[in-house]
Amino acid sequence: PRRRVRDAPRARAEEKGRGARGGEGRRKGAGRGTGGCLRPRSEGLGPNERAFPLRRKEEDSRLKGRKRRARNNMPTSQIQYSEKYYDDTYEYRHVVLPPDISKALPKNRLLAEVEWRALGVQQSRGWIHYAIHKPEPHIMLFRRPLNYQQQQQTAQVANASSIAA
């Protein structure tokens, strides 16, 4: 098949952001080859502009990402941490969450470390969310083995000496 050669007036109209007949104006997506951008490609795009317009699905996913980030900006200064308490094998601590953060807690499962850190809970390593107290679901119960930090330090020393040898 033969390629059709564009005529000059049509090509000029498309470069200016108008359709071939000039009646399509400067609406979004007008002008061929610009990807929805009204400026010629030679001018470049600004920091918040996209070369191609987003599809509906992509826009929705971007909005969800913003909502997720906004949820992570909850006031963590209102989180209350208890002192540690002990038994023969574990040390325990509980964390009281404010109502706006506790709404984001799942009701019927324990959280992994990544999840409770995403809510804004800040603790040293080794703590495990081990139980949900049904009457007070806004209180997170944590535990870790006794002398956890000392065990970690001795393990690091042992690793360092084995690497040096």
Side-chain angles (χ1 to χ4, degrees):
R2 283 190 167 180
R3 276 175 96 181
R4 199 172 94 193
V5 179
R6 288 189 193 179
D7 57 338
R10 181 177 178 159
R12 278 195 299 271
E14 288 178 359
E15 286 176 6
K16 291 181 181 178
R18 289 176 284 182
R21 296 186 187 117
E24 292 170 19
R26 286 194 165 267
R27 69 173 199 266
K28 186 175 181 180
R32 212 174 188 154
T34 62
C37 181
L38 300 178
R39 277 185 292 219
R41 287 183 188 218
S42 60
E43 289 182 27
L45 297 175
N48 296 327
E49 296 177 319
R50 297 180 60 86
F52 301 99
L54 290 175
R55 294 186 197 126
R56 181 76 176 157
K57 194 174 190 179
E58 290 172 337
E59 288 176 7
D60 290 344
S61 67
R62 285 183 65 193
L63 289 176
K64 286 179 186 174
R66 286 185 191 149
K67 288 179 186 175
R68 221 178 286 127
R69 275 183 244 122
R71 187 184 327 141
N72 290 344
N73 292 336
M74 290 185 212
T76 58
S77 62
Q78 297 175 356
I79 297 175
Q80 299 173 1
Y81 300 89
S82 74
E83 294 295 320
K84 297 176 191 174
Y85 41 99
Y86 307 90
D87 69 4
D88 296 337
T89 55
Y90 292 103
E91 58 182 332
Y92 299 91
R93 150 182 271 179
H94 61 268
V95 176
V96 181
L97 300 175
D100 54 343
I101 296 178
S102 64
K103 289 176 187 174
L105 278 176
K107 304 289 183 217
N108 298 323
R109 69 178 183 86
L110 300 174
L111 299 182
E113 183 174 352
V114 174
E115 294 172 314
W116 54 260
R117 286 193 188 277
L119 289 173
V121 177
Q122 298 175 352
Q123 301 185 92
S124 55
R125 293 184 177 182
W127 291 100
I128 297 171
H129 182 215
Y130 76 98
I132 297 172
H133 187 228
K134 295 284 184 189
E136 297 175 315
H138 64 286
I139 298 178
M140 298 181 72
L141 303 169
F142 292 95
R143 75 178 181 194
R144 71 177 176 185
L146 277 178
N147 303 324
Y148 177 82
Q149 290 179 328
Q150 291 175 355
Q151 292 171 2
Q152 294 301 311
Q153 289 172 354
T154 56
Q156 287 176 355
V157 170
N159 286 339
S161 64
S162 67
I163 291 172

